[in-house]
Amino acid sequence: LKKHPFLFLNCLHAKMIVEQDGEEFDAERGARRLARYWESRLNVLGNSMSYAPGTFPKPVRSDYRRCYERMLSVLGDLDKSDEDRADAQRAIDAIHREELRAMNDALEEIEDRSLEIFNPEEHDDAAAAQALLDGASRTMSVNSNDELKLQFWKVDEMVAWKSASRLVNYWKTGLSLFGPSLQHHRKATL
């Protein structure tokens, strides 16, 4: 749960219980209802049918996004208790940690694939220059601060691979427009 605090929403039964309270979800009451539900299900269907294949479907990204947005709203709601806001902050921090790890893994994979593709003996000077630009943009992406990476992640529908690719393209465009000084000074100069 520390790595993926919203896993409970993958279960249709948990979603049903959570959604009964609407926006005012009471975790304690929901947990009691969920426990009663599973006890009843076990009594009626038995052990093998209660946990049959398909009972726990794969996660749906829209559920993940909705819960993330709900945590952000709890975090910004001054009417919520300090404990609720602290819980929301812990959940958001856990998600950010995992998504940043996934983005860094994607950037590493982009780097690995580009090294496999480029053979300097088979390319001319223009291709070598392009390879240098690509390498610099990947390096800048890897070295970007977490805040910038998370901005790209949010824009790209919380998909680490898409945001990593967009971040590389962002720096590649910047280097094309402003030259190598962008890489060294991290600011655009004409």
mmCIF file of all heavy atoms in Angstrom, residues 6 9-12 15 57-67:
data_model
loop_
_atom_site.group_PDB
_atom_site.id
_atom_site.type_symbol
_atom_site.label_atom_id
_atom_site.label_comp_id
_atom_site.label_asym_id
_atom_site.label_seq_id
_atom_site.Cartn_x
_atom_site.Cartn_y
_atom_site.Cartn_z
ATOM 1 N N PHE A 6 -3.764 3.534 -3.791
ATOM 2 C CA PHE A 6 -5.131 3.478 -4.304
ATOM 3 C C PHE A 6 -5.505 2.102 -4.837
ATOM 4 O O PHE A 6 -6.478 1.958 -5.557
ATOM 5 C CB PHE A 6 -5.347 4.520 -5.402
ATOM 6 C CG PHE A 6 -5.130 5.916 -4.913
ATOM 7 C CD1 PHE A 6 -4.367 6.789 -5.641
ATOM 8 C CD2 PHE A 6 -5.679 6.343 -3.716
ATOM 9 C CE1 PHE A 6 -4.158 8.076 -5.199
ATOM 10 C CE2 PHE A 6 -5.467 7.624 -3.271
ATOM 11 C CZ PHE A 6 -4.708 8.496 -4.014
ATOM 12 N N LEU A 9 -9.095 0.571 -4.876
ATOM 13 C CA LEU A 9 -10.118 0.996 -5.825
ATOM 14 C C LEU A 9 -10.178 0.106 -7.057
ATOM 15 O O LEU A 9 -11.078 0.231 -7.867
ATOM 16 C CB LEU A 9 -9.879 2.433 -6.265
ATOM 17 C CG LEU A 9 -10.294 3.440 -5.199
ATOM 18 C CD1 LEU A 9 -9.937 4.826 -5.630
ATOM 19 C CD2 LEU A 9 -11.750 3.338 -4.873
ATOM 20 N N ASN A 10 -9.239 -0.812 -7.198
ATOM 21 C CA ASN A 10 -9.273 -1.725 -8.336
ATOM 22 C C ASN A 10 -10.398 -2.732 -8.191
ATOM 23 O O ASN A 10 -10.858 -3.309 -9.151
ATOM 24 C CB ASN A 10 -7.952 -2.473 -8.469
ATOM 25 C CG ASN A 10 -6.842 -1.525 -8.757
ATOM 26 O OD1 ASN A 10 -7.070 -0.411 -9.174
ATOM 27 N ND2 ASN A 10 -5.636 -1.954 -8.506
ATOM 28 N N CYS A 11 -10.802 -2.997 -6.990
ATOM 29 C CA CYS A 11 -11.839 -3.983 -6.718
ATOM 30 C C CYS A 11 -13.210 -3.327 -6.876
ATOM 31 O O CYS A 11 -13.499 -2.324 -6.236
ATOM 32 C CB CYS A 11 -11.646 -4.531 -5.306
ATOM 33 S SG CYS A 11 -12.978 -5.579 -4.752
ATOM 34 N N LEU A 12 -14.025 -3.892 -7.725
ATOM 35 C CA LEU A 12 -15.358 -3.330 -7.947
ATOM 36 C C LEU A 12 -16.155 -3.251 -6.650
ATOM 37 O O LEU A 12 -16.934 -2.327 -6.433
ATOM 38 C CB LEU A 12 -16.111 -4.163 -8.976
ATOM 39 C CG LEU A 12 -15.544 -4.131 -10.383
ATOM 40 C CD1 LEU A 12 -16.312 -5.103 -11.262
ATOM 41 C CD2 LEU A 12 -15.604 -2.744 -10.947
ATOM 42 N N LYS A 15 -15.014 -0.276 -4.769
ATOM 43 C CA LYS A 15 -15.550 0.928 -5.430
ATOM 44 C C LYS A 15 -17.006 1.141 -5.041
ATOM 45 O O LYS A 15 -17.421 2.258 -4.745
ATOM 46 C CB LYS A 15 -15.465 0.789 -6.947
ATOM 47 C CG LYS A 15 -14.136 1.020 -7.537
ATOM 48 C CD LYS A 15 -14.309 1.112 -9.036
ATOM 49 C CE LYS A 15 -13.189 0.436 -9.737
ATOM 50 N NZ LYS A 15 -13.315 0.493 -11.171
ATOM 51 N N PRO A 57 -10.551 -7.235 -10.885
ATOM 52 C CA PRO A 57 -10.099 -6.852 -12.225
ATOM 53 C C PRO A 57 -8.857 -5.962 -12.169
ATOM 54 O O PRO A 57 -8.507 -5.436 -11.126
ATOM 55 C CB PRO A 57 -11.294 -6.081 -12.781
ATOM 56 C CG PRO A 57 -12.022 -5.587 -11.589
ATOM 57 C CD PRO A 57 -11.796 -6.593 -10.501
ATOM 58 N N LYS A 58 -8.221 -5.816 -13.320
ATOM 59 C CA LYS A 58 -7.043 -4.962 -13.418
ATOM 60 C C LYS A 58 -7.436 -3.508 -13.165
ATOM 61 O O LYS A 58 -8.560 -3.107 -13.402
ATOM 62 C CB LYS A 58 -6.416 -5.084 -14.803
ATOM 63 C CG LYS A 58 -5.754 -6.410 -15.028
ATOM 64 C CD LYS A 58 -5.038 -6.413 -16.341
ATOM 65 C CE LYS A 58 -4.315 -7.743 -16.512
ATOM 66 N NZ LYS A 58 -3.509 -7.772 -17.707
ATOM 67 N N PRO A 59 -6.475 -2.703 -12.689
ATOM 68 C CA PRO A 59 -6.758 -1.295 -12.419
ATOM 69 C C PRO A 59 -7.149 -0.531 -13.683
ATOM 70 O O PRO A 59 -6.720 -0.873 -14.779
ATOM 71 C CB PRO A 59 -5.449 -0.757 -11.858
ATOM 72 C CG PRO A 59 -4.453 -1.837 -11.947
ATOM 73 C CD PRO A 59 -5.115 -3.086 -12.412
ATOM 74 N N VAL A 60 -7.912 0.487 -13.486
ATOM 75 C CA VAL A 60 -8.334 1.369 -14.572
ATOM 76 C C VAL A 60 -7.739 2.746 -14.287
ATOM 77 O O VAL A 60 -7.874 3.280 -13.183
ATOM 78 C CB VAL A 60 -9.878 1.451 -14.633
ATOM 79 C CG1 VAL A 60 -10.311 2.384 -15.737
ATOM 80 C CG2 VAL A 60 -10.470 0.072 -14.823
ATOM 81 N N ARG A 61 -7.044 3.296 -15.270
ATOM 82 C CA ARG A 61 -6.334 4.565 -15.065
ATOM 83 C C ARG A 61 -7.274 5.695 -14.646
ATOM 84 O O ARG A 61 -6.899 6.550 -13.857
ATOM 85 C CB ARG A 61 -5.580 4.957 -16.327
ATOM 86 C CG ARG A 61 -4.777 6.224 -16.131
ATOM 87 C CD ARG A 61 -3.583 6.331 -17.017
ATOM 88 N NE ARG A 61 -2.545 5.378 -16.786
ATOM 89 C CZ ARG A 61 -1.610 5.498 -15.835
ATOM 90 N NH1 ARG A 61 -1.622 6.513 -15.032
ATOM 91 N NH2 ARG A 61 -0.665 4.596 -15.709
ATOM 92 N N SER A 62 -8.496 5.693 -15.116
ATOM 93 C CA SER A 62 -9.416 6.778 -14.737
ATOM 94 C C SER A 62 -9.715 6.751 -13.236
ATOM 95 O O SER A 62 -9.882 7.797 -12.619
ATOM 96 C CB SER A 62 -10.709 6.702 -15.547
ATOM 97 O OG SER A 62 -11.385 5.494 -15.274
ATOM 98 N N ASP A 63 -9.765 5.564 -12.645
ATOM 99 C CA ASP A 63 -9.953 5.475 -11.194
ATOM 100 C C ASP A 63 -8.759 6.068 -10.469
ATOM 101 O O ASP A 63 -8.897 6.779 -9.479
ATOM 102 C CB ASP A 63 -10.120 4.014 -10.753
ATOM 103 C CG ASP A 63 -11.414 3.411 -11.249
ATOM 104 O OD1 ASP A 63 -12.382 4.170 -11.447
ATOM 105 O OD2 ASP A 63 -11.452 2.183 -11.435
ATOM 106 N N TYR A 64 -7.591 5.764 -10.963
ATOM 107 C CA TYR A 64 -6.348 6.255 -10.378
ATOM 108 C C TYR A 64 -6.311 7.788 -10.442
ATOM 109 O O TYR A 64 -6.017 8.454 -9.454
ATOM 110 C CB TYR A 64 -5.193 5.632 -11.161
ATOM 111 C CG TYR A 64 -3.819 5.928 -10.662
ATOM 112 C CD1 TYR A 64 -3.360 5.384 -9.472
ATOM 113 C CD2 TYR A 64 -2.946 6.706 -11.406
ATOM 114 C CE1 TYR A 64 -2.071 5.626 -9.033
ATOM 115 C CE2 TYR A 64 -1.667 6.946 -10.981
ATOM 116 C CZ TYR A 64 -1.225 6.409 -9.788
ATOM 117 O OH TYR A 64 0.044 6.658 -9.360
ATOM 118 N N ARG A 65 -6.651 8.325 -11.609
ATOM 119 C CA ARG A 65 -6.651 9.790 -11.773
ATOM 120 C C ARG A 65 -7.684 10.448 -10.876
ATOM 121 O O ARG A 65 -7.427 11.491 -10.266
ATOM 122 C CB ARG A 65 -6.930 10.153 -13.236
ATOM 123 C CG ARG A 65 -5.780 9.831 -14.146
ATOM 124 C CD ARG A 65 -6.033 10.321 -15.514
ATOM 125 N NE ARG A 65 -6.052 11.782 -15.443
ATOM 126 C CZ ARG A 65 -6.280 12.565 -16.471
ATOM 127 N NH1 ARG A 65 -6.511 12.045 -17.640
ATOM 128 N NH2 ARG A 65 -6.279 13.858 -16.343
ATOM 129 N N ARG A 66 -8.867 9.842 -10.802
ATOM 130 C CA ARG A 66 -9.932 10.418 -9.979
ATOM 131 C C ARG A 66 -9.513 10.462 -8.510
ATOM 132 O O ARG A 66 -9.724 11.464 -7.823
ATOM 133 C CB ARG A 66 -11.209 9.622 -10.155
ATOM 134 C CG ARG A 66 -12.428 10.237 -9.472
ATOM 135 C CD ARG A 66 -13.671 9.466 -9.817
ATOM 136 N NE ARG A 66 -13.493 8.067 -9.487
ATOM 137 C CZ ARG A 66 -14.335 7.364 -8.748
ATOM 138 N NH1 ARG A 66 -15.423 7.923 -8.311
ATOM 139 N NH2 ARG A 66 -14.104 6.110 -8.484
ATOM 140 N N CYS A 67 -8.895 9.411 -8.036
ATOM 141 C CA CYS A 67 -8.452 9.377 -6.638
ATOM 142 C C CYS A 67 -7.311 10.351 -6.394
ATOM 143 O O CYS A 67 -7.266 11.010 -5.351
ATOM 144 C CB CYS A 67 -8.039 7.973 -6.247
ATOM 145 S SG CYS A 67 -9.451 6.911 -6.056
#
